[in-house]
Structures are given as C-alpha cells and as structure tokens.
C-alpha cells in the first residue's frame, strides 16, 4: 500500500449500509453479510445453550425454560427468516460467482446492458423463493404449532 | 429540472490540507444553460465564486477518465453527466470516496494504479525475443477479440472503486478495476500469463472478496462491466484449481500476406523509436 498524505475518505461500513444511490444487488450484498453474521451469532448461542445438557439434566431443563415464551418464538422465527434469505441468495451467488448467470462479454453500446441486468431475473426468483420459504416457516411457527 | 430553469445550486465538498482540519461543504449559485455538464458548472463556479477550487479534468468527452467524482451520491464522470439528467437543481459534488483526498475534488488514485500494476496488465509471453523485437503481428480471430474487447474500454477513472462496498471496508482488496483488467489480459488469446497472475489472485487481494453488489458495473461510464469480468475470472480460477481449464497456448504470428507490394509513391515507415 502506498503512503499518502491525503485526507482519509474511505466509506467503511457506510459503504455497505448507505452512502449513495445504489441498486437492488447492493442491498442483497449487505443483507447477505448481516444475515450471515446473525446466523453465526445464533449458532454460537445455540452451542452454549445445548452444552448445558452435558453438565446435568437440571441445567438442561433450566436452560430450556429460559429460552421459551413468545419472545423467543419470534426470535427463532427471525433466525429462520435470516436462514431463508441467506440460503436463497446464496444459491444465486453460487450461480453468479461461477460465471453461469452473468452472460458473455458484449460490445458496450449505450444504454449499457450489464451483468447486473442479466442476472436480475435470478435475483428476483431467489427472493420469491426466500419469501415462500419464510411464509411456510411462519405457518409452522405461528399457525400449525 | 427543466430547461426553463435559469440557475442551479452547486454544493461542493472542499478540503485544503494546508488550511482545513476537515472537509466542509460550500454552496454556490450559477447560471444554467441547456446542455450544461457538471464539469461546465464547476468551471463556472471557479470563474464566478471559488477561484481556488481544485479538480482533475482533461478531455471533456468521457475518454481520459480524469474527472471521476461523486455527483449527487453516485460516482460518475463530471464531463459525461448532464445537469439536466440529475433531475434536480441541486448538484452535490464530492471527491470519489475510498480514495484519500489530495485537495477539494482531487482523489489520490495511486493505490488503485499500484494494485493495477501488480496484476501485470500487459501481454505476457515466453517468446521474449519476438516480444522485444517483433517481426509481425500475433494472430487473433474476431471471436477471440470479443472475449476481452468489452473489458479493454476501461479508462481507469476509479468510479468502480468508489462504488464498491468491499473496497469501502477492505483496502487490501485489489478492487474492480485492477481485477477486471487482469481478466482482460487472461482472456486475451495472445497472452500466456494466466499461471503467473493466478498466483497473485488467490487470497485477500483476489476476486473472492467480490460478492456481486454490482455497483461497479452500474456506475461504469464506459459499460466495461467489471463485475462480469470478476465472475468470469472466478470461473477460470475454479476450473484451473480442478484441473479442468483447457490449456491455452498464446497465439502465434499471423501469416504475412503474399504477393502484395507497396504502391508507388508511398514512403517506407520510419524506423521504430522505442
């Protein structure tokens, strides 16, 4: 990295969350990272809670009692929502990042048609899939239970 | 914004390292004329209000890539952006983010140029003698040309780097321009440098930090589509890792036309100077 005496102007996290007139894929990018971090936090908590089973049956029961109730049901549903989004968008990213959904190089003629336009139906399809999975999960969490 | 408007307001982010502790915004009102670009407006601001205002520009026709700046929150070329297309009479202009500010609207593009240089953006071949003392042209078909032509329109303006959310948080990532240009040469049928560049493309510098936010392609003023180049490069790297990539020899010299001579009266080309 070259040294510079200029004024730092890197957007940092603002580059993920805002800072301009951005498109759909940028928000999917940000949500993918945030849901990924959320799922990681959930897995760590999950390991902490379920490890009480290895200590004693009483600790297990106490741990289970502490994570029941409507608030935790909503919390678990939010984890499920994050999972559904992360999985559907992840499938899109695998297809895009292996170059299968971005099209071939073309002559750039104005108005430019980019790989972002090319993969947009896939992005919309992935989001519809995510919403369907979320709705089915909602039925299971709040109606069928 | 309509063409009946007579004035526009420029909101410009100023920073003078010798005078200011931090960047600050200043507003100026200037006369508007239909067809005026953001760059024309900056010249008017300099003429009427702020003679010390600094920015880079040269060709005024979207070719040199000097006047990249953040225009109403979106990176773009000032010479290539009409004020009328912004849809407002307020034009907010700031230096390209993700680069340090040298002064006012002048970003320090050297980290981008350095990342570009490291990825060897030129034809690499083993036949050094032919490269240094060429005896002809390397053969390339129109279909082979199409593999990289789109990516070769890059003017290194830095707009893609300013729009990239990964580059916004990770200075070790090479960024869309250098990676796109690495793929431009990897996909050139005359080039044999894929193996050498592949070593540089693994790790945090390489394309694996890109997760297709797509902003680089959306803001590119030349339609280069760096996001596409980066994803196609990933496919080549995966195929190469799985040993499924077709081995490619750089194309040889094109056959010289036979039976064609120089017409009378046309002088010989001067001797090469480099």
């Amino acid at each position: 990295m070259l040294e510079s005496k200029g004024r730092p102007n890197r957007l940092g996290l603002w580059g993920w969350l805002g800072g301009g007139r951005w498109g759909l894929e940028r928000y999917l990018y940000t949500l993918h990272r945030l849901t990924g971090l959320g799922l990681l936090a959930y897995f760590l908590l999950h390991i902490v809670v379920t490890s009480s089973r290895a200590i004693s049956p009483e600790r297990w029961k106490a741990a289970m009692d502490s994570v029941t109730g409507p608030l935790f049901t909503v919390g678990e549903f939010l984890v499920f929502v994050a999972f559904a989004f992360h999985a559907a968008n992840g499938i899109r990213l695998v297809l895009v990042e292996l170059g299968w959904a971005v099209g071939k190089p073309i002559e750039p003629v104005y108005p430019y048609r980019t790989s972002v336009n090319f993969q947009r139906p896939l992005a919309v399809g992935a989001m519809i899939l995510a919403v369907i999975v979320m709705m089915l999960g909602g039925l299971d969490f709040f109606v069928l239970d | 914004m309509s063409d009946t408007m007579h004035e526009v307001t420029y909101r410009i982010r100023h920073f003078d390292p010798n005078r200011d502790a931090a960047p600050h915004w200043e507003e100026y009102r200037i006369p508007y004329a239909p067809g005026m670009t953001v760059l024309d407006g900056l010249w008017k601001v300099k003429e009427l209000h702020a003679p010390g205002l600094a920015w880079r520009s040269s060709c005024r026709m979207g070719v040199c890539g000097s006047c990249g700046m953040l225009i109403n929150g979106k990176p773009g070329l000032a010479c290539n952006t009409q004020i009328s297309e912004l849809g407002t009479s307020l034009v907010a202009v700031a230096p390209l983010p993700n680069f340090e500010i040298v002064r006012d609207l002048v970003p320090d593009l050297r980290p981008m140029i350095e990342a570009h240089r490291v990825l060897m953006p030129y034809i690499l071949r083993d036949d050094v003698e032919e490269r240094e003392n060429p005896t002809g042209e390397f053969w390339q078909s129109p279909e082979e040309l199409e593999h990289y032509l789109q990516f070769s329109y890059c003017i290194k303006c830095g707009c893609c780097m300013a729009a990239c959310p990964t580059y916004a948080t990770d200075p070790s990532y090479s960024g869309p321009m250098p990676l796109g240009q690495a793929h431009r040469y990897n996909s050139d049928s005359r080039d044999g440098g894929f193996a050498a560049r592949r070593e540089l493309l693994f790790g945090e510098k390489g394309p694996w930090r890109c997760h297709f936010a797509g902003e680089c392609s959306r803001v590119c003023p030349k339609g280069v589509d760096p996001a596409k180049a980066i994803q196609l490069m990933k496919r080549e790297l995966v195929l190469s890792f799985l040993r499924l990539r077709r081995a490619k020899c750089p194309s040889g010299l094109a056959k010289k036309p036979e039976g064609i001579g120089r017409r009378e009266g046309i002088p010989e080309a001067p001797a090469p100077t480099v």
Side-chain angles (χ1 to χ4, degrees):
Chain A
M1 178 65 68
L2 289 170
E3 280 188 28
S4 169
K5 290 179 181 171
R7 166 89 186 176
N9 192 29
R10 197 168 285 276
L11 286 175
L13 278 180
W14 184 241
W16 291 11
L17 302 171
R21 294 151 52 195
W22 310 124
L24 169 69
E25 285 71 20
R26 191 193 191 92
Y27 295 107
L28 296 183
Y29 167 97
T30 303
L31 270 177
H32 197 78
R33 293 196 151 189
L34 293 178
T35 52
L37 290 170
L39 289 170
L40 178 66
Y42 171 77
F43 283 137
L44 293 175
L45 277 174
H46 184 66
I47 289 168
V48 169
V49 171
T50 53
S51 63
S52 61
R53 187 70 185 89
I55 300 170
S56 71
E58 293 75 29
R59 287 288 291 273
W60 170 248
K61 188 173 181 309
M64 286 296 98
D65 288 344
S66 68
V67 293
T68 51
L71 198 64
F72 280 95
T73 306
V74 171
E76 280 190 320
F77 178 66
L78 288 179
V79 171
F80 182 80
V81 165
F83 155 76
F85 170 81
H86 201 80
N89 196 46
I91 293 168
R92 175 185 75 94
L93 286 178
V94 168
L95 293 174
V96 166
E97 292 195 28
L98 290 177
W100 286 325
V102 292
K104 291 178 179 173
I106 53 171
E107 177 79 9
V109 178
Y110 196 82
Y112 304 127
R113 183 175 155 77
T114 67
S115 54
V116 181
N117 306 111
F118 194 89
Q119 63 79 55
R120 180 59 62 77
L122 180 65
V124 173
M127 289 309 100
I128 291 172
L129 176 67
V131 170
I132 290 171
V133 173
M134 286 171 200
M135 287 166 69
L136 290 175
L139 274 178
D140 186 55
F141 267 85
F142 300 112
V143 181
L144 300 178
D145 246 6
Chain B
M1 178 83 213
S2 72
D3 284 348
T4 55
M5 191 74 82
H6 298 297
E7 276 196 331
V8 284
T9 303
Y10 263 63
R11 194 161 181 263
I12 297 174
R13 199 158 182 241
H14 285 272
F15 175 68
D16 182 344
N18 298 322
R19 214 175 46 197
D20 303 327
H24 61 280
W25 293 91
E26 298 274 352
E27 286 195 4
Y28 309 98
R29 291 191 70 77
I30 56 163
Y32 169 77
M36 202 169 167
T37 64
V38 172
L39 181 61
D40 293 335
L42 285 175
W43 281 113
K44 198 54 106 176
V45 169
K46 194 175 177 75
E47 180 190 335
L48 299 178
H49 302 289
L53 179 64
W55 72 86
R56 277 195 207 103
S57 66
S58 181
C59 74
R60 302 185 183 203
M61 58 173 94
V63 172
C64 72
S66 302
C67 63
M69 48 191 79
L70 197 69
I71 302 163
N72 281 11
K74 191 176 175 187
L77 296 181
C79 70
N80 217 18
T81 308
Q82 297 250 334
I83 292 174
S84 59
E85 75 187 68
L86 298 175
T88 169
S89 61
L90 178 68
V91 184
V93 188
L96 284 179
N98 302 336
F99 297 108
E100 293 186 354
I101 307 168
V102 177
R103 184 176 159 178
D104 293 338
L105 304 173
V106 183
D108 184 356
L109 298 177
R110 287 182 302 165
M112 174 181 77
I113 303 300
E114 176 62 12
H116 183 226
R117 188 192 63 76
V118 165
L119 293 176
M120 298 186 281
Y122 39 81
I123 297 282
L124 284 169
R125 297 173 65 97
D126 288 336
D127 48 355
V128 179
E129 179 54 29
E130 180 59 36
R131 216 175 55 196
E132 297 300 323
N133 300 298
T135 58
E137 294 173 346
F138 296 122
W139 165 251
Q140 188 163 67
S141 70
E143 291 76 25
E144 288 169 335
L145 175 69
E146 281 181 10
H147 290 163
Y148 72 86
L149 182 63
Q150 179 177 21
F151 311 128
S152 69
Y153 285 106
C154 176
I155 54 173
K156 285 82 183 172
C157 61
C159 290
C160 56
M161 309 285 279
C164 176
T166 303
Y167 194 62
T169 45
D170 187 358
S172 58
Y173 174 57
S174 293
M177 189 285 275
L179 291 173
Q181 291 310 292
H183 181 69
R184 175 255 176 273
Y185 283 95
N186 280 345
S187 54
D188 191 322
S189 61
R190 300 165 298 178
D191 180 79
F194 177 78
R197 289 191 200 96
R198 183 182 56 194
E199 302 307 312
L200 302 167
L201 292 169
F202 283 115
E204 60 194 10
K205 279 185 187 300
W208 303 104
R209 287 281 169 95
C210 167
H211 298 299
F212 204 76
E215 291 303 336
C216 52
S217 298
R218 197 173 282 116
V219 302
C220 178
K222 304 302 283 185
V224 167
D225 204 347
K228 182 192 286 178
I230 293 172
Q231 313 320 312
L232 294 177
M233 176 197 275
K234 286 180 192 170
R235 177 164 66 188
E236 293 294 310
L237 289 171
V238 168
L239 291 175
S240 165
F241 182 76
L242 297 174
R243 298 181 190 282
L244 295 173
R245 186 175 188 267
R246 205 166 19 157
K248 187 187 79 174
C249 289
S251 59
L253 288 175
K255 203 173 153 188
K256 287 185 178 169
E258 291 173 359
I260 299 173
R262 184 176 292 272
R263 280 193 302 183
E264 275 185 36
I266 297 178
E268 289 291 327
T273 54
V274 288

